Amino acid sequence: VEMDAPILHNITLVDTPGILSGQKQSVGRNYDYAQVMRWFIERADLIIIMFDAHKLDISDELKKVIELMIPHQDKIRVVLNKADSISTQQLMRVYGALMWSLGKVMMTPEVCRVFMSSFWGAPLKNTDQASLLTQEKIDLFADIAQLPQNAVMRRINELVKRARAVKVHAYIIHYLRKQLPYTFGKREKQRKLIGRLDREFVMCARRYELPKGDFPPLEPFRQALSEIKDLSEFPKLDKKMVKEMDKVFSVDIPNLLEQAREF
């Protein structure tokens, strides 16, 4: 289907595979559904979760998908569809129940924005809240229309995040490498360093003045290090490259942000 809609000129909409509920959840899929959803979640600039005003159940499969979205909460928008098919009193109850259910899954007191409206071409069935539902639809469309601009800013922020992570990873290896003896006892010393990695993170952050928030998750990093036979085989930290990276943060990234604002 093709449609000449201005809002779609710089936006691609993807309707992901549906969520199973009830007994259907026990029926195996012929692909890894969680991995497919993770792929879309990591690459999307905006994630819209659709709920029917008559069906608010969060199935086990939907719960797992929402949990995958927790690191990307800034991308999430929730739509409560068919809000015109219930009374104002029912709408208040449904909205409250949805917020409560989402709060439990996302483990946060403040969940993402919920847009209430009726997203189809027919006139509203219940006109008591017509102005509210119409404005909610306008707000959602305005949010979508800002995607090209917001996507540029998000990609720059992601670039900064990854660059800071690379710098911290380099310093962690550099720090651990310096703790190893030159000759005997390397393996035992490396094992002890990995065992007390939480303390080594703190010491590394202090020595090189690195933000603790840029450090990787402890246990996955510990597991990755445990698979390395000899940390001393890593090349020495190139201070010139570190200076070049700092230049990226102080000069190149601000220039990118300035260009993005003019986009």
Side-chain angles (χ1 to χ4, degrees), residues 200-240:
E200 301 304 331
F201 272 12
V202 173
M203 296 300 294
C204 179
R206 288 177 181 173
R207 177 171 295 185
Y208 301 111
E209 299 181 346
L210 301 170
K212 293 181 180 178
D214 290 346
F215 277 67
L218 181 62
E219 292 307 323
F221 198 78
R222 193 199 307 273
Q223 179 62 35
L225 288 177
S226 66
E227 297 174 4
I228 299 172
K229 291 183 178 180
D230 187 354
L231 287 172
S232 65
E233 293 182 355
F234 277 94
K236 292 182 179 180
L237 182 67
D238 189 334
K239 298 294 180 65
K240 291 182 179 179

Side-chain angles (χ1 to χ4, degrees), residues 243-255:
K243 287 183 179 179
E244 286 298 316
M245 183 168 287
D246 289 337
K247 178 177 174 291
V248 169
F249 293 132
S250 62
V251 179
D252 297 338
I253 294 299
N255 288 341

Side-chain angles (χ1 to χ4, degrees), residues 78-195:
V78 175
V79 169
L80 182 58
N81 196 20
K82 302 180 183 178
D84 65 322
S85 62
I86 55 179
S87 67
T88 301
Q89 186 178 24
Q90 290 174 319
L91 180 59
M92 292 174 61
R93 291 175 179 171
V94 167
Y95 179 82
L98 178 58
M99 295 291 282
W100 183 79
S101 298
L102 289 172
K104 284 204 308 179
V105 176
M106 293 183 170
M107 304 294 289
T108 175
E110 295 184 8
V111 298
C112 49
R113 171 74 187 270
V114 176
F115 296 89
M116 303 180 295
S117 193
S118 179
F119 294 89
W120 66 322
L124 296 176
K125 294 180 180 180
N126 185 351
T127 59
D128 291 348
Q129 298 295 332
S131 59
L132 170 64
L133 300 183
T134 300
Q135 187 59 50
E136 289 279 284
K137 184 184 293 187
I138 292 172
D139 289 349
L140 178 59
F141 288 166
D143 203 356
I144 295 174
Q146 292 173 1
L147 267 180
Q149 171 70 21
N150 294 340
V152 172
M153 299 300 290
R154 180 175 286 109
R155 280 167 173 73
I156 294 175
N157 290 334
E158 186 65 26
L159 172 64
V160 173
K161 181 180 177 181
R162 292 188 179 191
R164 289 165 67 116
V166 168
K167 180 179 178 180
V168 167
H169 276 65
Y171 269 108
I172 291 172
I173 298 300
H174 173 68
Y175 173 79
L176 295 175
R177 189 175 177 276
K178 289 185 67 176
Q179 310 307 309
L180 298 176
Y182 287 105
T183 55
F184 302 107
K186 282 186 179 181
R187 181 169 297 180
E188 180 62 20
K189 181 64 174 179
Q190 180 171 318
R191 186 185 65 80
K192 290 181 179 179
L193 288 171
I194 295 173

